[in-house]
Amino acid sequence: MNVVTNRASDSPTDNARHLMFDDLEKLGRILVETGDLAHGFVQGADDMDVTCRDFSAFDPSRPLSGQGSGTLDALRAAKEEILPLLAASIGPRYLGFVTGGTTPAALAGDWLASAIDQNATGPEGSVNAAVEEQVINWLCDLGGLPSDRFDGVLTTGATVSNLLGLVAGRQWCGERVGVNVDADGAGVLPDLEVFAATPHASMVKDLSITGIGRNSFTKVATLPGSEETDLDDLRAKLKASDARGKIVIASAGTVNATDFDDLTAIADLCAAYGAWLHVDAAFGLFVALDDRRAHFLAGIDRADSITSDGHKWLNVPYDCGIFLTRHISVLETCCRAFAPYLATKAEGNSYINRGVENSRRFRALPLWMAMKAYGRDGFAAIIRANCDQAADLGAWVRTHEKLELLSEPKLNVTMFTSLGDDDQNRALLEKINATGKLFMTPTIYNGRFGFRAAFSSWRTQDHDLVIIKQAIDSVL
């Protein structure tokens, strides 16, 4: 292809388009240099400071120039201006939140997804919908769920997946009493009651988005010293409720103590009182792959809907949420998109009718690549290793003269604190993170301020635990 650029007769906008065609001719070199840049960042993540604490070198108020300079120049600018200021969240010692580390196969799938740029709405003219269907079946297998009973959709994350659980649950509740929330609005079911003991922050946000209200759910007690739902209190509150619609939100791996509700008992209560059961298993679903802990999930197959994430323990790039349900027709009622241009006779699932977005990234491809590359055993190895690492850190804290465990690690999270007061511990966490050797997030557990270390990356190894312990000791 020979593209003539910078002709005297060209307008500025024509010149800008010529830059794009010039870049198309240079695409091979662009991809090589992009690969080199990405490779350097990925390989260097072990030795980088885990987080960047000074962004003053980057000026967000700088105006956009009218004249572009092409992709190669933009890559050089990104290397100089942005990459040095990023967190090494793909690395082995980023212990904040529940952050996976992007396996090579998932990275390759994500790059391919961008290159082929499918709008993954459904089966018309592309295999993308069939790939997503296969991925959802495989996810059910990894989570120990029967794929002949569960179906679902990939979302942007647990926040949207939890939102779908509320929306589908509300519709189901309405249909049971003869009203149609989808068609006529939430006002036709004003007496919907939501019960939750330890809802994740994303679920509380979704209560606001759906119009149910952040403060309008019925708080269920937890067992003493735990984040687990108190079954007696849930039973009493369900029995006392005269609401026509009821949704119970349960947890399979709470964000702090990684507690699991007794899902079998909660499913029995939901059946007895006509409630929709939504289980937030944002990362806990895949503990099914660890035979030492798979029993935590007993009863999850009786859930009406389940939330999980791929960008947590499955270590695929952001963003990748998972929503599964036994009532796919109810979900499709709530999420249908109508327009003449969307009509199709192609066979397959129309995922546009299962989620919030009409335009959808082909996020099934990174998952497909990772599952194809590593199989069940590969993901099981990540989960088992991360749980062992959390236990190892917990054992070290337990015998440390200046530290105290807040809760015994059950899964991949270790919560601990020092013997100082809350203000001293806040300052101590700042010092620990300032070492650049690791990153932990703060937490409050049983009224006490502490440090939360979540092991979620495939890259974390034994020598990283040595570095983590040494860094903590260095500031005590």
Side-chain angles (χ1 to χ4, degrees):
M1 178 188 299
N2 295 312
V3 179
V4 179
T5 62
N6 297 323
R7 296 176 301 182
S9 60
D10 283 342
S11 70
T13 53
D14 286 337
N15 284 332
R17 288 193 70 236
H18 290 320
L19 274 175
M20 297 173 195
F21 284 108
D22 281 346
D23 278 350
L24 184 59
E25 284 194 320
K26 300 172 184 173
L27 186 59
R29 181 182 170 192
I30 288 169
L31 292 177
V32 167
E33 293 204 16
T34 302
D36 289 344
L37 194 59
H39 181 255
F41 187 88
V42 171
Q43 293 294 86
D46 284 5
D47 301 318
M48 291 169 57
D49 279 0
V50 178
T51 58
C52 177
R53 307 180 74 80
D54 181 7
F55 316 115
S56 58
F58 189 86
D59 181 8
S61 65
R62 186 174 59 188
L64 175 67
S65 63
Q67 181 69 46
S69 53
T71 301
L72 292 172
D73 185 69
L75 278 172
R76 285 188 286 271
K79 181 179 181 179
E80 296 169 3
E81 299 176 26
I82 296 178
L83 267 67
L85 305 180
L86 296 175
S89 54
I90 59 168
R93 297 185 303 279
Y94 189 93
L95 308 181
F97 314 105
V98 185
T99 303
T102 305
T103 58
L107 173 59
D110 197 64
W111 279 15
L112 276 175
S114 292
I116 61 182
D117 198 23
Q118 303 288 286
N119 186 0
T121 59
E124 184 66 53
S126 171
V127 75
N128 66 79
V131 174
E132 187 158 348
E133 180 179 359
Q134 185 174 66
V135 162
I136 288 168
N137 287 335
W138 288 353
L139 289 169
C140 287
D141 179 58
L142 294 183
L145 298 169
S147 59
D148 61 338
R149 291 171 56 201
F150 282 87
D151 204 344
V153 65
L154 299 179
T155 71
T156 56
T159 303
V160 170
S161 295
N162 279 334
L163 177 68
L164 295 180
L166 285 177
V167 169
R170 182 169 60 183
Q171 177 69 15
W172 178 87
C173 288
E175 290 178 359
R176 281 171 56 89
V177 297
V179 299
N180 190 337
V181 175
D182 170 70
D184 302 319
V188 299
L189 189 65
D191 51 347
L192 175 71
E193 190 168 2
V194 178
F195 303 82
T198 52
H200 188 266
S202 64
M203 180 60 80
V204 177
K205 180 178 181 177
D206 290 334
L207 288 168
S208 171
I209 293 170
T210 55
I212 295 169
R214 293 175 184 268
N215 301 322
S216 295
F217 72 93
T218 297
K219 183 72 169 69
V220 179
T222 54
L223 295 175
S226 167
E227 292 177 327
E228 186 178 337
T229 298
D230 183 322
L231 295 173
D232 290 335
D233 191 53
L234 176 60
R235 181 184 296 106
K237 287 185 163 84
L238 283 168
K239 184 177 182 179
S241 174
D242 59 1
R244 292 183 299 165
K246 302 179 182 70
I247 296 174
V248 173
I249 300 165
S251 296
T254 57
V255 72
N256 280 321
T258 62
D259 283 330
F260 285 71
D261 284 330
D262 184 338
L263 299 177
T264 298
I266 292 177
D268 287 342
L269 290 174
C270 288
Y273 291 98
W276 173 281
L277 173 55
H278 176 75
V279 177
D280 189 335
F283 58 97
L285 178 62
F286 300 110
V287 77
L289 294 168
D290 184 346
D291 55 11
R292 304 166 300 178
R293 296 173 172 85
H295 63 279
F296 292 162
L297 289 167
I300 195 169
D301 59 317
R302 295 175 62 191
D304 294 291
S305 58
I306 299 168
T307 280
S308 194
D309 263 331
H311 52 235
K312 291 185 171 70
W313 240 350
L314 298 188
N315 280 243
V316 301
Y318 286 97
D319 53 27
C320 182
I322 300 158
F323 180 73
L324 302 170
T325 180
R326 290 192 291 117
H327 308 273
I328 197 67
S329 62
V330 175
L331 178 66
E332 290 178 336
T333 294
C334 300
C335 298
R336 293 167 297 169
F338 298 105
Y341 70 91
L342 297 175
T344 179
K345 294 182 180 180
E347 293 186 4
N349 296 327
S350 290
Y351 289 99
I352 188 176
N353 295 328
R354 294 187 176 186
V356 174
E357 303 90 356
N358 276 14
S359 299
R360 305 177 68 248
R361 176 173 172 77
F362 190 15
R363 59 177 57 88
L365 189 55
L367 273 169
W368 189 90
M369 286 282 291
M371 288 192 273
K372 194 76 171 176
Y374 308 122
R376 283 179 61 91
D377 291 348
F379 292 110
I382 297 173
I383 278 116
R384 291 178 66 89
N386 287 163
C387 290
D388 290 346
Q389 289 152 2
D392 180 287
L393 182 60
W396 178 74
V397 169
R398 195 181 303 111
T399 60
H400 199 291
E401 62 182 10
K402 296 182 180 180
L403 299 173
E404 179 184 355
L405 270 177
L406 291 176
S407 176
E408 288 293 331
K410 299 180 182 68
L411 225 60
N412 62 325
V413 175
T414 308
M415 287 190 303
F416 63 103
T417 191
S418 82
L419 302 182
D421 60 31
D422 284 358
D423 287 340
Q424 290 172 321
N425 279 315
R426 287 186 177 89
L428 179 59
L429 180 59
E430 285 290 316
K431 291 179 182 178
I432 292 171
N433 287 340
T435 67
K437 299 298 182 181
L438 74 156
F439 175 71
M440 297 185 292
T441 45
T443 192
I444 301 291
Y445 187 73
N446 285 337
R448 297 184 63 188
F449 180 90
F451 322 135
R452 179 180 172 279
F455 293 86
S456 315
S457 174
W458 67 278
R459 290 178 66 159
T460 308
Q461 301 181 68
D462 290 346
H463 69 266
D464 292 300
L465 282 163
V466 174
I467 295 171
I468 288 166
K469 295 168 187 175
Q470 289 174 343
I472 294 170
D473 264 337
S474 72
V475 297
L476 286 173

